[in-house]
Amino acid sequence: MNAVLGYAQLMKDELKENELSETSEHLEKLQQSGNLLLSIINNVLDMARIESGRMEIDENYIQVEDIWQDLFEVFDDEAKKKKIVFHLMDIQMPNMDGYKAAQVIRHLPDKDKASIPVIAMTANAFEEDKRDAIAAGMDGHIAKPIQVDKLLSMLAEMIRQQETH
């Protein structure tokens, strides 16, 4: 992954010299996606270290804003083109659980972002958990392990609702 990102940076530098702005924009998206993927890979490796006892969690460290900004930069343009917008929200996150994160989203100053459909993803599958998700401002609830047919059905319904609004 580091090699891909390194070559992408070399290409970006060369393209700037030749003033190929559209290609540079695509390359920027490639770099953002690569960095996001590298971050995910590092998180998976860290989780393996934590589970094996070779590393401890620092629960005071979080970069939610950076992660959100990276995700928006990578996916926002394509989602807007296709008019597809929703969040799958994990409920059990450190420092800010999914319920709190949904409430933060609902209170964003940008009304488009504040009204994005949010689906709770959790291993908690009781009716009480579904009610808690709805009460926190989420639009749906899906239990883990995720059944793909149920998820696709829920997403299809949300897309239909977005198209009618």
Side-chain angles (χ1 to χ4, degrees), residues 114-146:
S115 63
I116 290 172
V118 178
I119 301 170
M121 289 191 329
T122 179
N124 304 330
F126 297 108
E127 284 302 315
E128 172 185 330
D129 301 308
K130 293 176 185 178
R131 284 191 302 270
D132 289 346
I134 300 302
M138 297 186 195
D139 301 283
H141 177 281
I142 190 154
K144 295 179 191 174
I146 294 173

PDB file of all heavy atoms in Angstrom, residues 114-146:
ATOM      1  N   ALA A 114     -27.194  16.999   8.551  1.00  0.00           N
ATOM      2  CA  ALA A 114     -27.943  16.684   9.772  1.00  0.00           C
ATOM      3  C   ALA A 114     -29.123  15.752   9.499  1.00  0.00           C
ATOM      4  O   ALA A 114     -29.581  15.062  10.403  1.00  0.00           O
ATOM      5  CB  ALA A 114     -28.435  17.972  10.421  1.00  0.00           C
ATOM      6  N   SER A 115     -29.600  15.716   8.263  1.00  0.00           N
ATOM      7  CA  SER A 115     -30.771  14.893   7.954  1.00  0.00           C
ATOM      8  C   SER A 115     -30.428  13.586   7.238  1.00  0.00           C
ATOM      9  O   SER A 115     -31.308  12.865   6.795  1.00  0.00           O
ATOM     10  CB  SER A 115     -31.761  15.694   7.108  1.00  0.00           C
ATOM     11  OG  SER A 115     -31.163  16.025   5.868  1.00  0.00           O
ATOM     12  N   ILE A 116     -29.138  13.271   7.158  1.00  0.00           N
ATOM     13  CA  ILE A 116     -28.701  12.033   6.513  1.00  0.00           C
ATOM     14  C   ILE A 116     -29.273  10.838   7.274  1.00  0.00           C
ATOM     15  O   ILE A 116     -29.196  10.785   8.499  1.00  0.00           O
ATOM     16  CB  ILE A 116     -27.157  11.956   6.497  1.00  0.00           C
ATOM     17  CG1 ILE A 116     -26.597  12.996   5.540  1.00  0.00           C
ATOM     18  CG2 ILE A 116     -26.665  10.564   6.154  1.00  0.00           C
ATOM     19  CD1 ILE A 116     -25.097  13.140   5.595  1.00  0.00           C
ATOM     20  N   PRO A 117     -29.856   9.865   6.566  1.00  0.00           N
ATOM     21  CA  PRO A 117     -30.354   8.665   7.258  1.00  0.00           C
ATOM     22  C   PRO A 117     -29.216   7.913   7.951  1.00  0.00           C
ATOM     23  O   PRO A 117     -28.132   7.772   7.401  1.00  0.00           O
ATOM     24  CB  PRO A 117     -30.935   7.821   6.115  1.00  0.00           C
ATOM     25  CG  PRO A 117     -31.237   8.803   5.038  1.00  0.00           C
ATOM     26  CD  PRO A 117     -30.181   9.858   5.144  1.00  0.00           C
ATOM     27  N   VAL A 118     -29.479   7.485   9.159  1.00  0.00           N
ATOM     28  CA  VAL A 118     -28.498   6.756   9.969  1.00  0.00           C
ATOM     29  C   VAL A 118     -29.116   5.430  10.377  1.00  0.00           C
ATOM     30  O   VAL A 118     -30.214   5.395  10.924  1.00  0.00           O
ATOM     31  CB  VAL A 118     -28.100   7.569  11.222  1.00  0.00           C
ATOM     32  CG1 VAL A 118     -27.125   6.773  12.085  1.00  0.00           C
ATOM     33  CG2 VAL A 118     -27.516   8.913  10.847  1.00  0.00           C
ATOM     34  N   ILE A 119     -28.389   4.346  10.118  1.00  0.00           N
ATOM     35  CA  ILE A 119     -28.828   3.001  10.494  1.00  0.00           C
ATOM     36  C   ILE A 119     -27.912   2.484  11.595  1.00  0.00           C
ATOM     37  O   ILE A 119     -26.691   2.452  11.431  1.00  0.00           O
ATOM     38  CB  ILE A 119     -28.784   2.045   9.287  1.00  0.00           C
ATOM     39  CG1 ILE A 119     -29.682   2.548   8.160  1.00  0.00           C
ATOM     40  CG2 ILE A 119     -29.182   0.637   9.713  1.00  0.00           C
ATOM     41  CD1 ILE A 119     -29.510   1.785   6.857  1.00  0.00           C
ATOM     42  N   ALA A 120     -28.495   2.085  12.710  1.00  0.00           N
ATOM     43  CA  ALA A 120     -27.728   1.525  13.819  1.00  0.00           C
ATOM     44  C   ALA A 120     -27.288   0.106  13.466  1.00  0.00           C
ATOM     45  O   ALA A 120     -28.075  -0.683  12.958  1.00  0.00           O
ATOM     46  CB  ALA A 120     -28.580   1.501  15.079  1.00  0.00           C
ATOM     47  N   MET A 121     -26.022  -0.192  13.737  1.00  0.00           N
ATOM     48  CA  MET A 121     -25.495  -1.561  13.585  1.00  0.00           C
ATOM     49  C   MET A 121     -24.999  -1.994  14.955  1.00  0.00           C
ATOM     50  O   MET A 121     -24.136  -1.346  15.523  1.00  0.00           O
ATOM     51  CB  MET A 121     -24.311  -1.592  12.614  1.00  0.00           C
ATOM     52  CG  MET A 121     -24.648  -1.384  11.195  1.00  0.00           C
ATOM     53  SD  MET A 121     -23.244  -1.736  10.084  1.00  0.00           S
ATOM     54  CE  MET A 121     -21.812  -1.325  11.024  1.00  0.00           C
ATOM     55  N   THR A 122     -25.561  -3.062  15.458  1.00  0.00           N
ATOM     56  CA  THR A 122     -25.183  -3.497  16.798  1.00  0.00           C
ATOM     57  C   THR A 122     -25.478  -4.976  16.999  1.00  0.00           C
ATOM     58  O   THR A 122     -26.350  -5.530  16.333  1.00  0.00           O
ATOM     59  CB  THR A 122     -25.924  -2.662  17.860  1.00  0.00           C
ATOM     60  OG1 THR A 122     -25.564  -3.124  19.154  1.00  0.00           O
ATOM     61  CG2 THR A 122     -27.422  -2.729  17.685  1.00  0.00           C
ATOM     62  N   ALA A 123     -24.751  -5.577  17.917  1.00  0.00           N
ATOM     63  CA  ALA A 123     -25.037  -6.957  18.290  1.00  0.00           C
ATOM     64  C   ALA A 123     -26.263  -7.021  19.199  1.00  0.00           C
ATOM     65  O   ALA A 123     -26.833  -8.086  19.408  1.00  0.00           O
ATOM     66  CB  ALA A 123     -23.829  -7.564  19.004  1.00  0.00           C
ATOM     67  N   ASN A 124     -26.687  -5.874  19.714  1.00  0.00           N
ATOM     68  CA  ASN A 124     -27.869  -5.799  20.572  1.00  0.00           C
ATOM     69  C   ASN A 124     -29.115  -5.794  19.696  1.00  0.00           C
ATOM     70  O   ASN A 124     -29.384  -4.819  19.011  1.00  0.00           O
ATOM     71  CB  ASN A 124     -27.823  -4.540  21.435  1.00  0.00           C
ATOM     72  CG  ASN A 124     -26.552  -4.471  22.260  1.00  0.00           C
ATOM     73  OD1 ASN A 124     -25.999  -5.500  22.634  1.00  0.00           O
ATOM     74  ND2 ASN A 124     -26.080  -3.278  22.511  1.00  0.00           N
ATOM     75  N   ALA A 125     -29.875  -6.870  19.744  1.00  0.00           N
ATOM     76  CA  ALA A 125     -30.975  -7.043  18.791  1.00  0.00           C
ATOM     77  C   ALA A 125     -32.357  -7.063  19.434  1.00  0.00           C
ATOM     78  O   ALA A 125     -33.318  -7.466  18.808  1.00  0.00           O
ATOM     79  CB  ALA A 125     -30.756  -8.331  18.003  1.00  0.00           C
ATOM     80  N   PHE A 126     -32.470  -6.604  20.673  1.00  0.00           N
ATOM     81  CA  PHE A 126     -33.767  -6.590  21.339  1.00  0.00           C
ATOM     82  C   PHE A 126     -34.594  -5.395  20.875  1.00  0.00           C
ATOM     83  O   PHE A 126     -34.072  -4.405  20.373  1.00  0.00           O
ATOM     84  CB  PHE A 126     -33.587  -6.552  22.860  1.00  0.00           C
ATOM     85  CG  PHE A 126     -32.885  -7.770  23.401  1.00  0.00           C
ATOM     86  CD1 PHE A 126     -31.577  -7.694  23.862  1.00  0.00           C
ATOM     87  CD2 PHE A 126     -33.528  -9.005  23.430  1.00  0.00           C
ATOM     88  CE1 PHE A 126     -30.925  -8.808  24.353  1.00  0.00           C
ATOM     89  CE2 PHE A 126     -32.894 -10.134  23.929  1.00  0.00           C
ATOM     90  CZ  PHE A 126     -31.584 -10.037  24.385  1.00  0.00           C
ATOM     91  N   GLU A 127     -35.907  -5.481  21.085  1.00  0.00           N
ATOM     92  CA  GLU A 127     -36.809  -4.376  20.727  1.00  0.00           C
ATOM     93  C   GLU A 127     -36.394  -3.089  21.432  1.00  0.00           C
ATOM     94  O   GLU A 127     -36.469  -2.007  20.869  1.00  0.00           O
ATOM     95  CB  GLU A 127     -38.263  -4.722  21.061  1.00  0.00           C
ATOM     96  CG  GLU A 127     -38.901  -5.677  20.072  1.00  0.00           C
ATOM     97  CD  GLU A 127     -38.885  -5.148  18.633  1.00  0.00           C
ATOM     98  OE1 GLU A 127     -39.211  -3.969  18.405  1.00  0.00           O
ATOM     99  OE2 GLU A 127     -38.539  -5.932  17.732  1.00  0.00           O
ATOM    100  N   GLU A 128     -35.944  -3.219  22.669  1.00  0.00           N
ATOM    101  CA  GLU A 128     -35.480  -2.067  23.444  1.00  0.00           C
ATOM    102  C   GLU A 128     -34.320  -1.365  22.724  1.00  0.00           C
ATOM    103  O   GLU A 128     -34.240  -0.136  22.680  1.00  0.00           O
ATOM    104  CB  GLU A 128     -35.040  -2.541  24.827  1.00  0.00           C
ATOM    105  CG  GLU A 128     -34.359  -1.499  25.677  1.00  0.00           C
ATOM    106  CD  GLU A 128     -33.837  -2.097  26.991  1.00  0.00           C
ATOM    107  OE1 GLU A 128     -34.439  -3.061  27.510  1.00  0.00           O
ATOM    108  OE2 GLU A 128     -32.831  -1.576  27.480  1.00  0.00           O
ATOM    109  N   ASP A 129     -33.421  -2.151  22.121  1.00  0.00           N
ATOM    110  CA  ASP A 129     -32.279  -1.583  21.398  1.00  0.00           C
ATOM    111  C   ASP A 129     -32.745  -0.831  20.157  1.00  0.00           C
ATOM    112  O   ASP A 129     -32.218   0.227  19.824  1.00  0.00           O
ATOM    113  CB  ASP A 129     -31.287  -2.685  21.014  1.00  0.00           C
ATOM    114  CG  ASP A 129     -30.775  -3.429  22.239  1.00  0.00           C
ATOM    115  OD1 ASP A 129     -30.306  -2.759  23.185  1.00  0.00           O
ATOM    116  OD2 ASP A 129     -30.872  -4.664  22.252  1.00  0.00           O
ATOM    117  N   LYS A 130     -33.740  -1.381  19.494  1.00  0.00           N
ATOM    118  CA  LYS A 130     -34.298  -0.706  18.320  1.00  0.00           C
ATOM    119  C   LYS A 130     -34.936   0.617  18.727  1.00  0.00           C
ATOM    120  O   LYS A 130     -34.744   1.640  18.074  1.00  0.00           O
ATOM    121  CB  LYS A 130     -35.321  -1.600  17.619  1.00  0.00           C
ATOM    122  CG  LYS A 130     -34.711  -2.830  16.987  1.00  0.00           C
ATOM    123  CD  LYS A 130     -35.768  -3.733  16.388  1.00  0.00           C
ATOM    124  CE  LYS A 130     -35.129  -5.007  15.868  1.00  0.00           C
ATOM    125  NZ  LYS A 130     -36.119  -5.944  15.319  1.00  0.00           N
ATOM    126  N   ARG A 131     -35.695   0.591  19.829  1.00  0.00           N
ATOM    127  CA  ARG A 131     -36.325   1.831  20.319  1.00  0.00           C
ATOM    128  C   ARG A 131     -35.274   2.867  20.704  1.00  0.00           C
ATOM    129  O   ARG A 131     -35.432   4.057  20.426  1.00  0.00           O
ATOM    130  CB  ARG A 131     -37.240   1.525  21.511  1.00  0.00           C
ATOM    131  CG  ARG A 131     -38.552   0.876  21.124  1.00  0.00           C
ATOM    132  CD  ARG A 131     -39.529   0.851  22.298  1.00  0.00           C
ATOM    133  NE  ARG A 131     -39.002   0.155  23.468  1.00  0.00           N
ATOM    134  CZ  ARG A 131     -39.146  -1.143  23.714  1.00  0.00           C
ATOM    135  NH1 ARG A 131     -39.812  -1.898  22.864  1.00  0.00           N
ATOM    136  NH2 ARG A 131     -38.637  -1.684  24.799  1.00  0.00           N
ATOM    137  N   ASP A 132     -34.190   2.419  21.355  1.00  0.00           N
ATOM    138  CA  ASP A 132     -33.113   3.341  21.745  1.00  0.00           C
ATOM    139  C   ASP A 132     -32.482   4.000  20.516  1.00  0.00           C
ATOM    140  O   ASP A 132     -32.165   5.191  20.536  1.00  0.00           O
ATOM    141  CB  ASP A 132     -32.031   2.613  22.541  1.00  0.00           C
ATOM    142  CG  ASP A 132     -32.491   2.207  23.940  1.00  0.00           C
ATOM    143  OD1 ASP A 132     -33.547   2.703  24.400  1.00  0.00           O
ATOM    144  OD2 ASP A 132     -31.789   1.381  24.556  1.00  0.00           O
ATOM    145  N   ALA A 133     -32.291   3.220  19.457  1.00  0.00           N
ATOM    146  CA  ALA A 133     -31.702   3.761  18.230  1.00  0.00           C
ATOM    147  C   ALA A 133     -32.612   4.819  17.612  1.00  0.00           C
ATOM    148  O   ALA A 133     -32.153   5.904  17.232  1.00  0.00           O
ATOM    149  CB  ALA A 133     -31.437   2.634  17.230  1.00  0.00           C
ATOM    150  N   ILE A 134     -33.892   4.544  17.544  1.00  0.00           N
ATOM    151  CA  ILE A 134     -34.861   5.494  16.984  1.00  0.00           C
ATOM    152  C   ILE A 134     -34.924   6.744  17.864  1.00  0.00           C
ATOM    153  O   ILE A 134     -34.932   7.871  17.374  1.00  0.00           O
ATOM    154  CB  ILE A 134     -36.259   4.849  16.828  1.00  0.00           C
ATOM    155  CG1 ILE A 134     -36.186   3.624  15.894  1.00  0.00           C
ATOM    156  CG2 ILE A 134     -37.282   5.866  16.344  1.00  0.00           C
ATOM    157  CD1 ILE A 134     -35.653   3.879  14.499  1.00  0.00           C
ATOM    158  N   ALA A 135     -34.925   6.550  19.182  1.00  0.00           N
ATOM    159  CA  ALA A 135     -34.983   7.678  20.119  1.00  0.00           C
ATOM    160  C   ALA A 135     -33.748   8.574  19.995  1.00  0.00           C
ATOM    161  O   ALA A 135     -33.823   9.780  20.225  1.00  0.00           O
ATOM    162  CB  ALA A 135     -35.128   7.167  21.554  1.00  0.00           C
ATOM    163  N   ALA A 136     -32.610   7.989  19.619  1.00  0.00           N
ATOM    164  CA  ALA A 136     -31.373   8.763  19.462  1.00  0.00           C
ATOM    165  C   ALA A 136     -31.321   9.502  18.127  1.00  0.00           C
ATOM    166  O   ALA A 136     -30.383  10.240  17.869  1.00  0.00           O
ATOM    167  CB  ALA A 136     -30.160   7.847  19.590  1.00  0.00           C
ATOM    168  N   GLY A 137     -32.341   9.294  17.287  1.00  0.00           N
ATOM    169  CA  GLY A 137     -32.383  10.007  16.017  1.00  0.00           C
ATOM    170  C   GLY A 137     -32.003   9.165  14.820  1.00  0.00           C
ATOM    171  O   GLY A 137     -31.864   9.677  13.707  1.00  0.00           O
ATOM    172  N   MET A 138     -31.837   7.869  15.025  1.00  0.00           N
ATOM    173  CA  MET A 138     -31.502   6.994  13.908  1.00  0.00           C
ATOM    174  C   MET A 138     -32.764   6.601  13.155  1.00  0.00           C
ATOM    175  O   MET A 138     -33.864   6.656  13.687  1.00  0.00           O
ATOM    176  CB  MET A 138     -30.752   5.768  14.406  1.00  0.00           C
ATOM    177  CG  MET A 138     -29.424   6.134  15.039  1.00  0.00           C
ATOM    178  SD  MET A 138     -28.474   4.684  15.452  1.00  0.00           S
ATOM    179  CE  MET A 138     -27.263   5.397  16.545  1.00  0.00           C
ATOM    180  N   ASP A 139     -32.571   6.214  11.907  1.00  0.00           N
ATOM    181  CA  ASP A 139     -33.704   5.895  11.037  1.00  0.00           C
ATOM    182  C   ASP A 139     -33.985   4.402  10.934  1.00  0.00           C
ATOM    183  O   ASP A 139     -35.009   4.005  10.390  1.00  0.00           O
ATOM    184  CB  ASP A 139     -33.436   6.447   9.636  1.00  0.00           C
ATOM    185  CG  ASP A 139     -33.230   7.940   9.674  1.00  0.00           C
ATOM    186  OD1 ASP A 139     -34.229   8.661   9.794  1.00  0.00           O
ATOM    187  OD2 ASP A 139     -32.064   8.393   9.612  1.00  0.00           O
ATOM    188  N   GLY A 140     -33.071   3.594  11.424  1.00  0.00           N
ATOM    189  CA  GLY A 140     -33.242   2.161  11.330  1.00  0.00           C
ATOM    190  C   GLY A 140     -32.282   1.444  12.262  1.00  0.00           C
ATOM    191  O   GLY A 140     -31.429   2.062  12.893  1.00  0.00           O
ATOM    192  N   HIS A 141     -32.410   0.125  12.326  1.00  0.00           N
ATOM    193  CA  HIS A 141     -31.602  -0.701  13.221  1.00  0.00           C
ATOM    194  C   HIS A 141     -31.373  -2.035  12.530  1.00  0.00           C
ATOM    195  O   HIS A 141     -32.311  -2.627  12.009  1.00  0.00           O
ATOM    196  CB  HIS A 141     -32.367  -0.904  14.534  1.00  0.00           C
ATOM    197  CG  HIS A 141     -31.664  -1.798  15.506  1.00  0.00           C
ATOM    198  ND1 HIS A 141     -31.682  -3.166  15.399  1.00  0.00           N
ATOM    199  CD2 HIS A 141     -30.918  -1.506  16.594  1.00  0.00           C
ATOM    200  CE1 HIS A 141     -30.983  -3.682  16.401  1.00  0.00           C
ATOM    201  NE2 HIS A 141     -30.520  -2.690  17.146  1.00  0.00           N
ATOM    202  N   ILE A 142     -30.128  -2.491  12.526  1.00  0.00           N
ATOM    203  CA  ILE A 142     -29.825  -3.814  11.984  1.00  0.00           C
ATOM    204  C   ILE A 142     -28.872  -4.519  12.940  1.00  0.00           C
ATOM    205  O   ILE A 142     -27.929  -3.915  13.443  1.00  0.00           O
ATOM    206  CB  ILE A 142     -29.274  -3.748  10.546  1.00  0.00           C
ATOM    207  CG1 ILE A 142     -29.209  -5.144   9.952  1.00  0.00           C
ATOM    208  CG2 ILE A 142     -27.940  -3.044  10.483  1.00  0.00           C
ATOM    209  CD1 ILE A 142     -29.296  -5.165   8.457  1.00  0.00           C
ATOM    210  N   ALA A 143     -29.179  -5.771  13.229  1.00  0.00           N
ATOM    211  CA  ALA A 143     -28.392  -6.541  14.190  1.00  0.00           C
ATOM    212  C   ALA A 143     -27.208  -7.208  13.502  1.00  0.00           C
ATOM    213  O   ALA A 143     -27.281  -7.605  12.345  1.00  0.00           O
ATOM    214  CB  ALA A 143     -29.271  -7.583  14.860  1.00  0.00           C
ATOM    215  N   LYS A 144     -26.105  -7.328  14.272  1.00  0.00           N
ATOM    216  CA  LYS A 144     -24.940  -8.078  13.811  1.00  0.00           C
ATOM    217  C   LYS A 144     -25.084  -9.509  14.318  1.00  0.00           C
ATOM    218  O   LYS A 144     -25.603  -9.708  15.411  1.00  0.00           O
ATOM    219  CB  LYS A 144     -23.649  -7.481  14.380  1.00  0.00           C
ATOM    220  CG  LYS A 144     -23.328  -6.095  13.922  1.00  0.00           C
ATOM    221  CD  LYS A 144     -22.044  -5.674  14.610  1.00  0.00           C
ATOM    222  CE  LYS A 144     -21.727  -4.224  14.465  1.00  0.00           C
ATOM    223  NZ  LYS A 144     -20.558  -3.836  15.248  1.00  0.00           N
ATOM    224  N   PRO A 145     -24.614 -10.506  13.642  1.00  0.00           N
ATOM    225  CA  PRO A 145     -24.012 -10.397  12.312  1.00  0.00           C
ATOM    226  C   PRO A 145     -25.067  -9.974  11.293  1.00  0.00           C
ATOM    227  O   PRO A 145     -26.225 -10.387  11.363  1.00  0.00           O
ATOM    228  CB  PRO A 145     -23.472 -11.792  12.024  1.00  0.00           C
ATOM    229  CG  PRO A 145     -24.247 -12.699  12.925  1.00  0.00           C
ATOM    230  CD  PRO A 145     -24.675 -11.884  14.112  1.00  0.00           C
ATOM    231  N   ILE A 146     -24.649  -9.129  10.411  1.00  0.00           N
ATOM    232  CA  ILE A 146     -25.571  -8.526   9.449  1.00  0.00           C
ATOM    233  C   ILE A 146     -26.021  -9.558   8.427  1.00  0.00           C
ATOM    234  O   ILE A 146     -25.204 -10.277   7.860  1.00  0.00           O
ATOM    235  CB  ILE A 146     -24.913  -7.326   8.754  1.00  0.00           C
ATOM    236  CG1 ILE A 146     -24.676  -6.225   9.782  1.00  0.00           C
ATOM    237  CG2 ILE A 146     -25.764  -6.823   7.599  1.00  0.00           C
ATOM    238  CD1 ILE A 146     -23.893  -5.059   9.283  1.00  0.00           C
TER     239      ILE A 146
END
